[in-house]
Amino acid sequence: MFLTIATTSSGLGAPAAELGFLLHKNPARPQSVEITSGTAHVLYPVATEEACTAAVLLEIDPIALVRSGRGRATEGFTLGQYVNDRPYAASSLLAVALGKLFRTAMNGRCDARPDLAARPIELALHVPALPCRGGAALAERLFAPLGWTVDARPVPLDPEIPEWGDSRYVDLRLTGVLRLADALNHLYVLLPVLDDAKHYWVGPDEIDKLVKAGDGWLGTHPDKELISRRYLAHRRKLTDLALERLTEADGLSLDEDVVEPEEEKSEVRVSLAVQRREAVVGVLQELGARRVADLGCGEGQLVGLLLKDGRYDEIVATDVSARSLTLAERRLHVDEMSDRQRERLRLFQSSVTYADARLSGLDAAVLMEVVEHVDPPRLPALAQAVFGAARPGAVIVTTPNSEHNVRYETLAAGKFRHPDHRFEWTRAEFHAWAAQVCAQYGYAVTFRAVGPDDPEVGPPTQLALFRKENV
């Protein structure tokens, strides 16, 4: 198995050979480490001030692998555990090697060059032979949302006999500007996912590995369910637990980053997502609302809080995504609810840009981190559906404050906090939209900050409370 990681002096912003500091492997000395399946080597074919390439070579011992009990055949024939692609094609075995070789680098630590470890750098990764059940298109689908430019070329079964077609292997090249720690964690998770196989027993401890390696990116990945399912060897119970852990992690995107108030840094770490939910619940309590709706409920975090509070007689949860509703049902354990709890909850598919008669007559509706996922030309339709057709007594809207984005060191200028955001408003833009809605539909609005209110750029999240005027 073979993998290269390359950069240049211009891409690193320093002499290129300092890549060795980030990897904690000296370019002047080849290094080896024993793993269960064989020996992993790190060497540098190129290590100059202008360019540096680190290569990982994993030599597999198939007999030792079988004797360890980790090489049971899945190939469908008796000698499959000895005659297979493991010595040649990247798989979960290479992921294990990466975890052992670069554990400190994957944690984002580099005492010698902390500035390099903390910021994105130009990287080029190459895996010449990668088993990919789903073909080049799946490699593109999994890596592209993470910021990589993907060049995945199918490897023919036999170049001399083209009519045989392509094999299940791809020659994968990734280029992008990312933190090295993120790049290594992407490989660690996605190599076995693309292979759709693990060459060792998958138990509950694999959930911890997935959540740790996926911190900051997996929770917002559009294919996180597929990734979790394959990584955990299609074990349904483990997959459900992993998805729940990823949802609860609250560090899944920049928008969910942990916020540490100055006076509490030594005691409490409270994520922005938790602060946002607490702010919304607080407003609902102030309103005295008893019939409420979470429009765009996602996987049901807010709904779960509301269900625990007996003051709410009816809780409506909607989302345009059927998959999100399925995950919400699992997360909320709807099938295990008492009859009383089930009577309080209505969970159904609906779009915030279309009028839905089932949403009329509510005391309050919540659009928590929803509007920024709507294409701007569809915002008038959203306003008509929520404020015009449903007309709840109050509407709570939260959305990112784009002015605060400069406080996120790992967010490139001009980039959004989440890959699915269609826009992010400044405070003035949000206020202007809210004023237009109020004038058109007969509401009054007030604004609140969620998260630390920076004197220069404002809070990370802005909240608007719309109240229907008596006319």
Side-chain angles (χ1 to χ4, degrees):
M1 299 184 191
F2 192 68
L3 160 72
T4 60
I5 305 167
T7 190
T8 62
S9 57
S10 59
L12 191 64
E18 292 196 8
L19 177 65
F21 284 112
L22 298 182
L23 292 171
H24 297 267
K25 296 291 181 288
N26 188 343
R29 182 168 58 88
Q31 297 173 63
S32 302
V33 62
E34 298 296 322
I35 63 174
T36 303
S37 55
T39 305
H41 308 277
V42 180
L43 56 151
Y44 290 78
V46 179
T48 67
E49 290 196 359
E50 292 74 30
C52 186
T53 299
V56 176
L57 175 65
L58 178 57
E59 293 184 295
I60 299 297
D61 182 345
I63 296 177
L65 187 63
V66 172
R67 286 175 176 169
S68 71
R70 302 186 176 210
R72 292 188 177 276
T74 59
E75 290 79 2
F77 59 100
T78 304
L79 295 179
Q81 53 192 334
Y82 297 101
V83 182
N84 51 57
D85 63 358
R86 291 173 199 157
Y88 318 107
S91 66
S92 60
L93 298 174
L94 181 56
V96 170
L98 291 176
K100 193 161 186 180
L101 287 167
F102 303 129
R103 183 178 296 110
T104 304
M106 289 173 65
N107 289 332
R109 281 190 48 219
C110 181
D111 296 338
R113 293 301 309 269
D115 56 320
L116 290 182
R119 62 179 173 82
I121 60 176
E122 288 185 13
L123 292 168
L125 311 183
H126 183 205
V127 185
L130 174 63
C132 191
R133 298 182 189 274
L138 182 61
E140 171 84 23
R141 180 174 145 193
L142 296 189
F143 280 104
L146 303 174
W148 292 105
T149 298
V150 183
D151 180 6
R153 303 185 181 186
V155 176
L157 281 171
D158 189 330
E160 302 299 321
I161 312 176
E163 57 267 26
W164 282 6
D166 296 326
S167 67
R168 69 183 185 95
Y169 304 93
V170 298
D171 182 338
L172 179 67
R173 295 178 185 271
L174 303 172
T175 55
V177 181
L178 296 92
R179 287 196 317 144
L180 179 64
D182 294 332
L184 293 172
N185 280 299
H186 296 167
L187 289 174
Y188 179 81
V189 171
L190 296 180
L191 288 179
V193 167
L194 289 168
D195 187 15
D196 199 15
K198 282 202 167 183
H199 299 99
Y200 55 87
W201 171 251
V202 174
D205 60 322
E206 291 296 297
I207 298 176
D208 295 330
K209 296 178 186 177
L210 177 63
V211 171
K212 181 179 180 181
D215 182 38
W217 62 272
L218 182 53
T220 59
H221 197 291
D223 279 302
K224 68 177 179 182
E225 187 173 359
L226 169 69
I227 293 169
S228 301
R229 185 172 65 251
R230 284 191 172 196
Y231 186 89
L232 296 167
H234 298 268
R235 297 186 63 185
R236 172 71 177 274
K237 185 175 181 180
L238 295 183
T239 302
D240 288 348
L241 289 172
L243 290 170
E244 186 168 345
R245 287 270 303 277
L246 289 168
T247 299
E248 287 296 326
D250 289 328
L252 305 180
S253 67
L254 282 169
D255 189 42
E256 307 293 299
D257 274 349
V258 168
V259 176
E260 300 181 45
E262 285 297 324
E263 66 274 13
E264 299 178 356
K265 275 191 177 180
S266 61
E267 301 175 7
V268 181
R269 290 172 61 85
V270 183
S271 76
L272 180 57
V274 170
Q275 293 188 64
R276 187 163 50 238
R277 290 196 288 271
E278 289 177 347
V280 169
V281 169
V283 173
L284 289 172
Q285 292 173 353
E286 289 177 24
L287 293 171
R290 304 189 69 84
R291 302 179 66 237
V292 302
D294 184 5
L295 308 181
C297 66
E299 296 170 16
Q301 296 97 319
L302 176 62
V303 176
L305 288 178
L306 300 180
L307 283 169
K308 294 176 183 177
D309 193 332
R311 79 185 73 203
Y312 303 107
D313 297 327
E314 181 181 2
I315 302 166
V316 177
T318 74
D319 202 283
V320 72
S321 167
R323 188 188 71 166
S324 292
L325 292 173
T326 298
L327 293 175
E329 286 182 347
R330 293 179 189 169
R331 187 175 190 283
L332 299 169
H333 304 290
V334 172
D335 57 342
E336 301 173 12
M337 282 183 179
S338 65
D339 292 340
R340 168 60 183 150
Q341 282 286 73
R342 196 175 290 110
E343 288 173 0
R344 296 171 64 212
L345 176 65
R346 286 197 293 147
L347 191 70
F348 56 86
Q349 190 172 15
S350 183
S351 170
V352 292
T353 59
Y354 292 94
D356 191 330
R358 294 172 291 181
L359 299 176
S360 61
L362 296 167
D363 297 330
V366 177
L367 291 163
M368 189 172 67
E369 308 303 285
V370 170
V371 294
E372 64 273 11
H373 293 269
V374 177
D375 289 317
R378 298 293 295 160
L379 288 174
L382 178 148
Q384 169 58 31
V386 176
F387 297 91
R391 289 194 65 76
V395 179
I396 303 167
V397 179
T398 74
T399 191
N401 167 25
S402 65
E403 296 168 77
H404 195 90
N405 288 354
V406 296
R407 297 295 187 248
Y408 294 111
E409 295 180 358
T410 59
L411 183 63
K415 296 291 186 181
F416 295 149
R417 301 184 197 178
H418 188 286
D420 190 53
H421 284 183
R422 304 308 201 256
F423 62 87
E424 289 177 1
W425 276 325
T426 63
R427 286 169 290 176
E429 290 168 335
F430 186 36
H431 289 202
W433 176 79
Q436 183 180 1
V437 168
C438 289
Q440 188 169 359
Y441 296 104
Y443 282 77
V445 66
T446 56
F447 299 93
R448 305 184 185 189
V450 179
D453 197 352
D454 189 294
E456 295 181 5
V457 297
T461 294
Q462 42 192 339
L463 181 151
L465 169 58
F466 297 82
R467 294 175 188 257
K468 187 165 60 176
E469 295 183 317
N470 294 322
V471 294

